[in-house]
Amino acid sequence: MASRVTIGDVARRSGVHAGTVSRALNERTAGQVNSVTRARIQQAARELGYVPNILARGLITDTSASIGVLVPDLTNPLFPPIVRGIESVLTPRGYTALIVNTDSDDLKERAAFDSLLGRRVDGFIIATGHSEHPLLRQAHERSIRVVTVNRGSPDAPFPLVTADNAEGMAAVVRHLLAHGHRHIVHLAGPPGMMTSRIRAETFRTLTRDLPHVRAEVVQLAGLAIADGHAAATTILATDDSPTALVATNDLVAIGALRAAREAGVDCPGALSITGFNDIPLSGDLDPALSTVRIPHFEMGVHAARLLLDELSGSVAGGGSPVTVTLPVEFIARRSSGPAPVRDR
Amino acid sequence: MASRVTIGDVARRSGVHAGTVSRALNERTAGQVNSVTRARIQQAARELGYVPNILARGLITDTSASIGVLVPDLTNPLFPPIVRGIESVLTPRGYTALIVNTDSDDLKERAAFDSLLGRRVDGFIIATGHSEHPLLRQAHERSIRVVTVNRGSPDAPFPLVTADNAEGMAAVVRHLLAHGHRHIVHLAGPPGMMTSRIRAETFRTLTRDLPHVRAEVVQLAGLAIADGHAAATTILATDDSPTALVATNDLVAIGALRAAREAGVDCPGALSITGFNDIPLSGDLDPALSTVRIPHFEMGVHAARLLLDELSGSVAGGGSPVTVTLPVEFIARRSSGPAPVRDR
DNA sequence: ATGAAAGCGCTAACAT
DNA sequence: ATGTTAGCGCTTTCAT
């Protein structure tokens, strides 16, 4: 199937040589050909419905005009905006994103990586949370172009795009302290996840040694609603439960919201709950969730730009890799508010 | 960048000709080469980290082992599961999905289509709601392989994968009638969207001429939360407002939920609200949303299978194209229940 | 069972 | 300004 018309067909129809057609149809070399001839060639190309074969071009230019994008799971609402951000810069430049889900599975990730290598992608954007991976080191050894999103790479010096998780958590903590909360529990994610770890560390740092403040961290096994629900249920059953729950992400917060509802605990009257990420619908829950908005789209944009910069060689290969940290914004909604009076 | 090792390198290292390496490394032709030699070649390939260049292969086999997937917007929670379903069958077969967002914009769709044609995709899966499009007819004339998801193509006889929207709507209507509702309003989507139209038509058909039942259809301009919110707000301000609102999708239902809350209308006590699609978190709203679950993942699976069948030519080209209609399931949750007693 | 050679569609260096 | 030629990495006849 597909457009069977080749550069040769266009050449024949316009009475010139294939080489001339190639020149006429390429931005960069179009100036080399007589404008009348060029017009004739373009006309012929249009009439024939000629679409250049990017694959054949890539064979000789040694590029594929494609970028491999590794995400854990497109079904997780964080990633589509990142992908769209990536596309928004790639597409206008003629690049195509090859998006693959890894399910945070090392084997799948490896398989996806190799498969994309087989398609000769010009580089990778790896948007995965796990903090370490041999894949990255190998990629670096093979001098493959990579930009990482969210995950630092202790193993390999690749550029990194990340949100200011520390500041986001700081804003949450400030918000709660300002509202009189003195007993706060952080529902933290697995330490293997870069973002979870930074959030938890920041929480600990900011609440340590504060007079009259009790701050605790509860480690969750996962980042799903059920994890937040289970942890919050346990906590709320305690005699001495906190006045605020700081969830490491929105799903965990939703679990906590549900647990509070079930336990008959009034949120935000008796208990404040905060999330992280500002996923779609977080403003439509009941109560609407206070959370930290992360510029997912822009993260994709920056990642793609960094990669394209690398590819065009316009970047100093030498020094340590760039880290772009994007600003976050605390969104105060209904789920958090003043601590109950008795507890102040 | 990328794996600079070619078939020639492997040939040299294993002391055979490139042609033999090609044969040894390809499933189909591996039998033609002596097993000892083959072992030696595989060994060399492994040592060198050889990854075959799929693009070069495609040049001669006239395939790219890739499929173009057109979706309106990955950010819409309906589509990621479809995409994952598609991937789940494509990946094991060595195909890669080239996913592009069209934003339901004709120009972008056309541009994406041409760009993917330039990459010589072997076929397309078009998962867009709009019911008509010249693109499809042209694609058919050029005998490009296409499978459509959700949208029928009056213009072009392509296979179609769809959910049983009619049955889903029927289940909603049955549910409401059984619960004593006698005044029902359907918040319908734009008629240009295939799915919206079928849902609305089914609603009309099933409620027409029922004794003692008032059923109305309100046409919305869009399918977002705001559209549902605005329409429901207006309706609830009426003297004689319905006891049930049937939304054409979950977002519209969420808007209605919000409108009810704001208007102080008890849902489900005074007003039942139903959605469609069962998007993530619809069970975590307050009240949890009654809705129709659609097998998005499976729709992707079937679409990909149909396309692959076409590509392998194992399908009779002749007759009218296949339509696969997948079953849906009504999920009764808290947002719908018995009609208020006074209204029965 | 393997080698030799042609060629997929295109670009780029070299001629003219 | 245009034609010629070689060749990207691979598969596939055709020989041997």
Side-chain angles (χ1 to χ4, degrees):
Chain A
M1 78 147 233
S3 194
R4 315 220 100 287
V5 23
T6 78
I7 208 169
D9 299 326
V10 179
R12 216 164 303 121
R13 190 187 239 273
S14 44
V16 295
H17 189 94
T20 310
V21 175
S22 171
R23 281 187 285 257
L25 262 30
N26 267 302
E27 282 287 337
R28 209 168 38 76
T29 49
Q32 300 172 23
V33 34
N34 184 295
S35 58
V36 179
T37 329
R38 188 174 51 210
R40 194 154 33 94
I41 293 173
Q42 285 167 339
Q43 164 89 1
R46 212 173 313 115
E47 289 171 2
L48 258 32
Y50 170 71
V51 181
N53 186 330
I54 297 181
L55 281 47
R57 172 184 297 162
L59 201 51
I60 177 158
T61 60
D62 196 32
T63 57
S64 60
S66 64
I67 303 292
V69 176
L70 265 44
V71 298
D73 180 12
L74 226 34
T75 271
N76 181 330
L78 304 185
F79 295 105
I82 294 180
V83 169
R84 297 229 45 180
I86 292 171
E87 273 191 338
S88 78
V89 357
L90 252 34
T91 305
R93 300 241 235 153
Y95 283 84
T96 295
L98 273 38
I99 304 156
V100 183
N101 295 277
T102 66
D103 290 317
S104 299
D105 176 325
D106 286 359
L107 263 59
K108 281 195 192 175
E109 184 165 325
R110 164 116 265 151
F113 195 79
D114 286 343
S115 153
L116 291 169
L117 236 30
R119 306 196 102 88
R120 294 302 187 268
V121 292
D122 299 325
F124 287 88
I125 295 176
I126 303 188
T128 312
H130 287 269
S131 38
E132 314 205 359
H133 208 290
L135 190 65
L136 288 178
R137 217 189 44 245
Q138 290 176 27
H140 190 251
E141 281 164 6
R142 297 215 253 164
S143 64
I144 291 172
R145 308 297 194 168
V146 175
V147 170
T148 58
V149 175
N150 259 348
R151 98 161 124 191
S153 42
D155 298 331
F158 288 125
L160 167 66
V161 176
T162 185
D164 198 342
N165 288 291
E167 167 53 25
M169 178 54 84
V172 169
V173 170
R174 279 198 303 270
H175 169 80
L176 292 174
L177 291 177
H179 279 81
H181 292 272
R182 295 297 176 257
H183 186 187
I184 307 174
V185 171
H186 175 38
L187 305 178
M193 306 294 290
M194 192 79 172
T195 47
S196 292
R197 195 172 57 212
I198 292 177
R199 292 170 193 175
E201 281 169 5
T202 307
F203 178 85
R204 280 201 193 85
T205 304
L206 292 181
T207 54
R208 191 166 15 227
D209 303 329
L210 282 185
H212 315 302
V213 171
R214 279 176 63 193
E216 292 151 29
V217 175
V218 172
Q219 195 83 247
L220 309 191
L223 293 173
I225 293 179
D227 299 298
H229 179 254
T233 301
T234 306
I235 292 169
L236 293 179
T238 315
D239 289 345
D240 176 32
S241 74
T243 65
L245 250 26
V246 173
T248 190
N249 76 8
D250 288 342
L251 291 181
V252 168
I254 289 170
L257 240 31
R258 197 194 293 175
R261 208 178 298 137
E262 290 170 2
V265 174
D266 176 36
C267 171
L271 176 71
S272 285
I273 297 178
T274 63
F276 221 108
N277 285 341
D278 192 31
I279 63 173
L281 298 190
S282 55
D284 289 278
L285 301 167
D286 189 49
L289 186 64
S290 294
T291 187
V292 175
R293 177 171 299 159
I294 291 192
H296 295 289
F297 187 90
E298 285 72 20
M299 288 171 71
V301 168
H302 282 270
R305 282 206 198 124
L306 281 178
L307 186 56
L308 256 24
D309 285 352
E310 282 224 341
L311 294 183
S312 68
S314 76
V315 87
S320 59
V322 197
T323 293
V324 174
T325 305
L326 295 177
V328 301
E329 184 189 2
F330 178 70
I331 311 285
R333 297 204 185 97
R334 281 246 312 137
S335 73
S336 65
V341 179
R342 59 171 169 80
D343 285 289
R344 298 213 203 176
Chain B
M1 77 147 233
S3 197
R4 315 219 99 287
V5 23
T6 77
I7 208 170
D9 299 327
V10 179
R12 216 163 304 121
R13 189 188 240 273
S14 44
V16 295
H17 192 260
T20 310
V21 174
S22 170
R23 282 187 284 256
L25 262 29
N26 268 302
E27 282 287 337
R28 208 169 37 75
T29 48
Q32 300 173 22
V33 36
N34 183 295
S35 59
V36 179
T37 325
R38 188 173 51 210
R40 193 152 34 92
I41 292 173
Q42 285 167 338
Q43 164 89 0
R46 212 174 312 115
E47 289 171 0
L48 259 32
Y50 170 72
V51 181
N53 185 331
I54 297 181
L55 281 47
R57 171 183 300 162
L59 200 52
I60 177 157
T61 59
D62 195 32
T63 57
S64 60
S66 63
I67 302 293
V69 177
L70 264 44
V71 298
D73 180 12
L74 227 34
T75 271
N76 181 331
L78 304 185
F79 295 105
I82 294 181
V83 168
R84 296 227 47 177
I86 292 171
E87 273 192 336
S88 78
V89 356
L90 253 33
T91 305
R93 299 241 234 151
Y95 283 84
T96 295
L98 272 37
I99 305 155
V100 183
N101 296 277
T102 65
D103 291 316
S104 298
D105 176 323
D106 286 359
L107 264 57
K108 281 195 191 175
E109 184 164 327
R110 163 117 266 147
F113 195 79
D114 286 342
S115 153
L116 290 169
L117 237 29
R119 306 197 102 88
R120 294 302 187 270
V121 292
D122 299 326
F124 287 89
I125 295 176
I126 302 188
T128 310
H130 286 269
S131 38
E132 314 205 359
H133 208 291
L135 190 65
L136 288 177
R137 215 188 47 243
Q138 290 176 29
H140 190 250
E141 280 164 6
R142 296 216 254 163
S143 64
I144 292 171
R145 307 297 194 170
V146 175
V147 170
T148 58
V149 175
N150 259 349
R151 103 160 122 191
S153 40
D155 298 331
F158 289 125
L160 167 66
V161 176
T162 185
D164 197 342
N165 287 291
E167 167 53 25
M169 177 54 84
V172 169
V173 170
R174 280 197 303 269
H175 168 81
L176 292 174
L177 290 177
H179 279 82
H181 292 272
R182 295 296 175 260
H183 185 187
I184 307 175
V185 170
H186 174 38
L187 304 178
M193 307 292 291
M194 193 78 172
T195 47
S196 293
R197 195 172 57 212
I198 293 178
R199 291 170 195 175
E201 281 168 5
T202 307
F203 178 85
R204 279 201 195 85
T205 305
L206 292 182
T207 55
R208 192 168 11 229
D209 304 328
L210 281 186
H212 313 303
V213 171
R214 279 178 62 194
E216 291 151 30
V217 174
V218 172
Q219 195 83 245
L220 309 192
L223 294 173
I225 292 179
D227 298 298
H229 179 254
T233 300
T234 306
I235 292 168
L236 293 179
T238 315
D239 289 345
D240 176 31
S241 74
T243 65
L245 250 25
V246 173
T248 192
N249 77 7
D250 288 343
L251 291 182
V252 168
I254 289 170
L257 240 31
R258 198 195 291 175
R261 209 178 298 138
E262 290 170 2
V265 174
D266 176 36
C267 171
L271 176 72
S272 285
I273 297 177
T274 63
F276 221 109
N277 284 344
D278 193 31
I279 64 174
L281 299 189
S282 56
D284 288 279
L285 300 167
D286 189 49
L289 186 65
S290 295
T291 188
V292 176
R293 177 171 298 159
I294 291 193
H296 294 289
F297 186 90
E298 285 73 19
M299 287 170 72
V301 168
H302 281 270
R305 282 205 197 125
L306 281 179
L307 186 55
L308 256 25
D309 285 351
E310 282 225 340
L311 293 183
S312 68
S314 76
V315 86
S320 58
V322 197
T323 293
V324 175
T325 304
L326 296 177
V328 301
E329 185 190 2
F330 178 70
I331 311 283
R333 296 205 186 96
R334 279 247 313 137
S335 72
S336 66
V341 178
R342 58 171 169 83
D343 285 291
R344 299 212 201 173

